Amino acid sequence: MAVVVVAGGTGFIGSYIVRRLTQDGHRVIVMSRDPGKARGQVPDGVEVRAGDVTDGATLGPALAGAEVVVCAVQFPNHPVENPRRGHTYIRVDGEGTVRLVGAARKAGVSRFVYISGAGTREGQTKPWFRAKLMAEKAIRESGIPYTIFRPSWVYGPEDRSLNKFATFARLLPFVPVIGSGRTRVQPLYVEDLADAVAASLRTGAALNRTYDIGGPQELTMDEIIRTMLRVMGRRRPLLHSPAWLMKAAAWPLQFLPTPPFSPGAVDFVLMEELVDNGQVLQDLGLTLTPLERGLSYLRPEPR
């Protein structure tokens, strides 16, 4: 078992990774910008250390004694960037990960695991891809043995994406959908991603590998939302809005102190990047969760 520092360990994805690695018997340390708040969010026995990927001076102490670093950092209110507060893909996902890799190398870390994103490849121009490419390049050139995961859309009880549609279904007589609803997605259950990270630390097959990973089904957004409604036991029509209209509506919102939406977030939501699970299933022996089973947390409580 290893000493593992999880950067972003109180976030949606990071918190599941922390719980899974703890179950495997690793000594897990959560690195957080706000350690006081984080201590109330982590499992018993998990140490919390102050560390911020945007502040290099904090990273050495945070990584002291670490054998493995797992980077699952996200900026607040992702995917809506807020440049005035420094909450951007380039500053956090890109430059922040580069800074963390440098600190990991100085600390003598023997393994670096990074949560990238589906579709990350040369030639991509969107800021989230440019940031992930920057991070992946630094990891591969660091000399630290690594595993990179490129997950598709990750969902689960605490996610802020799919669960927004569930909230709409509870509060509105319809469910709003951006675009045609035909965007294809492979929704990935968050516990499956956490299982993949844990499995990668148990096998040499994952060393210096980059894995695409998505859910077992290729579904349109309309199919995803209808599956959600079926699990919830609700009937709602889907109301589609053109992407250009949503971008126009979001444009002034991005200038608010805490923007709820932005044109860039519209592009992020409509991103279609399908993945091939063949290699990750072969190397790590995973069983992926179908959407309807993964959404069981939305089932109404029996009366």
Side-chain angles (χ1 to χ4, degrees):
M1 297 297 102
V3 178
V4 185
V5 172
V6 181
T10 59
F12 167 49
I13 292 173
S15 63
Y16 277 84
I17 293 172
V18 166
R19 286 195 287 270
R20 186 67 183 82
L21 294 180
T22 302
Q23 290 167 4
D24 268 14
H26 296 287
R27 179 191 165 199
V28 180
I29 300 166
V30 167
M31 189 183 89
S32 172
R33 295 186 309 273
D34 187 347
K37 180 179 178 182
R39 287 188 182 94
Q41 299 176 295
V42 302
D44 291 341
V46 172
E47 182 183 351
V48 177
R49 294 180 182 174
D52 184 345
V53 295
T54 66
D55 182 357
T58 68
L59 299 180
L63 300 187
E67 298 170 87
V68 178
V69 171
V70 178
C71 181
V73 295
Q74 282 187 332
F75 55 83
N77 204 32
H78 171 274
V80 182
E81 294 185 297
N82 189 339
R84 283 171 295 179
R85 296 190 177 184
H87 300 162
T88 68
Y89 288 100
I90 294 297
R91 185 162 189 259
V92 177
D93 296 70
E95 295 170 354
T97 303
V98 170
R99 206 171 281 116
L100 184 63
V101 170
R105 187 172 57 245
K106 289 180 182 177
V109 166
S110 58
R111 189 78 169 269
F112 198 101
V113 180
Y114 179 56
I115 308 302
S116 185
T120 301
R121 58 184 177 272
E122 293 296 334
Q124 295 278 35
T125 58
K126 295 296 185 183
W128 47 88
F129 287 129
R130 291 192 289 112
K132 297 294 188 183
L133 282 166
M134 181 190 303
E136 289 190 9
K137 182 174 185 291
I139 292 164
R140 291 194 184 95
E141 294 178 353
S142 69
I144 304 173
Y146 66 86
T147 305
I148 295 171
F149 291 97
R150 292 172 171 173
S152 60
W153 183 24
V154 182
Y155 72 94
E158 296 87 8
D159 85 79
R160 296 196 306 268
S161 298
L162 195 148
N163 288 324
K164 283 184 179 178
F165 292 108
T167 300
F168 292 146
R170 294 186 186 102
L171 299 178
L172 302 175
F174 59 87
V175 178
V177 184
I178 300 174
S180 67
R182 293 192 293 270
T183 302
R184 295 174 299 164
V185 187
Q186 288 167 265
L188 174 65
Y189 189 42
V190 65
E191 289 194 4
D192 292 347
L193 179 55
D195 284 346
V197 171
S200 74
L201 299 185
R202 297 194 297 265
T203 175
L207 281 173
N208 300 327
R209 298 300 299 264
T210 299
Y211 293 115
D212 287 347
I213 181 170
Q217 300 157 285
E218 181 184 311
L219 303 168
T220 66
M221 277 302 303
D222 280 0
E223 289 171 334
I224 291 169
I225 295 170
R226 290 189 178 112
T227 300
M228 178 203 75
L229 290 169
R230 185 166 63 249
V231 171
M232 295 176 70
R234 294 177 182 260
R235 293 185 179 183
R236 296 286 188 273
L238 308 187
L239 181 64
H240 297 91
S241 300
W244 66 265
L245 181 60
M246 294 305 298
K247 284 187 176 185
W251 187 83
L253 301 179
Q254 67 186 316
F255 301 108
L256 295 174
T258 304
F261 210 40
S262 68
V266 174
D267 288 333
F268 188 89
V269 168
L270 294 177
M271 179 173 54
E272 182 176 273
E273 293 291 347
L274 302 178
V275 303
D276 181 350
N277 287 316
Q279 195 65 56
V280 75
L281 294 179
Q282 176 181 312
D283 287 358
L284 303 185
L286 305 174
T287 299
L288 298 174
T289 306
L291 179 64
E292 187 160 347
R293 191 194 314 159
L295 290 176
S296 60
Y297 64 90
L298 292 174
R299 293 192 188 280
E301 293 289 335
R303 295 182 178 179

